[in-house]
Amino acid sequence: MILLAANARAASLINDTETERVISELIAPLGRAADIPQSRLKINIINDDDFNAFVMGGEDVYVYTGLLKKIKSPDALQAVVAHELGHTLGGHMAQMSARMNAELKRTMLIQALGIGLMVAGGDPSLGAGVLAGSSGIAQQSMLSFSRDEERIADNMGLDLMVRAGQNPNGFIDVFSQMREITGAAESRINPNRINHPLTNERLKNVREQIASLKNIQTPDKKTDAARREKYELVRAKLIGYLDSPERVKNLYPNSDKSNPALYARAIANMRGGNLDAARMGTKTLISRAPDNPYFYELLGDIEYQFGHYDDSIDAYDKSLELAGDAPQIQTAAALVLAERDKPGDRARALDLCRRATLSAPAPLTYWVMARAFDDGRADWARAEYYKMLGDDKNAKKYARRAQKTLKKDSPEYIKSGDILHK
Ligand SMILES: [Zn+2]
């Protein structure tokens, strides 16, 4: 644990293709060095302002938006994850069961939704879920480590960074930043923190370790610049979506014409209903980087808010063409198709939803499916939606309704039966 939360509070997961992919790319070399197959390392983004991250079950990486928004470099983010993997490699997680991981995921999934759709709207009950949701994150207090374990995790993480050919100075960046942050937060700390080595001590330790290293291989300049650029866009996106318009303005003033600044302002403008400004900024981004799928995704979100369904679908199509299978973008496109409802739209929406649920089942995808079906399968999709939200009563109610009209040998009839007999 990098920093324990001061208190338990509601938290939600954010689904965002761009953020997940950029972080996955950054930690892939660490996974390889730790002998974890890349397909098993799963990134989960927690919407919470704490400067925090943890790894559960050895391969489920949880990163807080508070950390992503604040951390200054991709190297520093890698150092955080390397430290967390260090706890795994050091066997500090042995007492943690896979069941607890599953439970944590289930409770947080209740509130999982796409970052764009969070703003675009969609299902009103999802909003209610965010407010009423139980706190899965409370369980993280069980994850406190001893001072020795923290030091071992730092050392193992540092070793992992070096073996992975990544820049170990990321550790110095992290602890320097943590020193600033913990200084301010020291007054509201959890008693568990007393066991944690002081940040200064950890900073001194990693400095000494790094000084003793010879022949460090780090990514070349070109790779480093490319990933910094991607990382800065992710930060700008999260700040644009999650922070106040004032903060966006402070961090990315109008005088800043960089891509991240344009991105953050376009998103903030969309949130504020300044759709013309949002669209203008996004189109500038697209003209500068016509191969970036996420700028088209944002354009799709903006056009949807305008009520321009045709333009929205064109933008999502372009985004998907560039991004490949991206469940959140597929779901967003399906939502707009189901709403436009021209001939063929529902069939395409359902096809997109099916592909999205194959790679990453999400409540919102089932909710869009329920809108796109015009027979008993809509009730089955609703049942799946409520099941994912943990609302067994409604899940069973709709599963029962689905079975009344569906053929007994249809897949949806059988899946409804699974929900009823669970
Ligand atoms: Zn730790």
Side-chain angles (χ1 to χ4, degrees), residues 95-142:
Q95 75 279 23
M96 230 82 67
S97 67
R99 235 187 81 218
M100 191 176 138
N101 188 16
E103 177 61 17
L104 182 76
K105 260 194 152 159
R106 197 193 66 75
T107 42
M108 286 200 298
L109 196 65
I110 292 175
Q111 302 137 353
L113 68 169
I115 193 166
L117 291 158
M118 204 159 78
V119 179
D123 178 9
S125 72
L126 280 177
V130 171
L131 293 176
S134 59
S135 173
I137 214 66
Q139 304 185 33
Q140 68 156 290
S141 57
M142 292 162 74

Side-chain angles (χ1 to χ4, degrees), residues 82-103:
H83 165 90
E84 298 305 330
L85 289 171
H87 279 303
T88 306
L89 297 172
H92 309 160
M93 318 288 287
Q95 75 279 23
M96 230 82 67
S97 67
R99 235 187 81 218
M100 191 176 138
N101 188 16
E103 177 61 17

Side-chain angles (χ1 to χ4, degrees), residues 4-26:
L4 283 170
N7 49 19
R9 77 191 81 148
S12 57
L13 286 182
I14 285 179
N15 293 327
D16 181 62
T17 306
E18 180 178 18
T19 310
E20 286 162 18
R21 285 189 183 175
V22 168
I23 300 174
S24 285
E25 274 172 37
L26 282 175

Side-chain angles (χ1 to χ4, degrees), residues 1 6 33 92 102 117 149 191 195-196 206 211 216 239 246 248 273 338 376 411 417:
M1 185 107 326
H92 309 160
L117 291 158
E149 285 173 331
N195 289 332
H196 283 231
V206 295
I216 306 172
I239 290 166
E246 291 73 35
V248 175

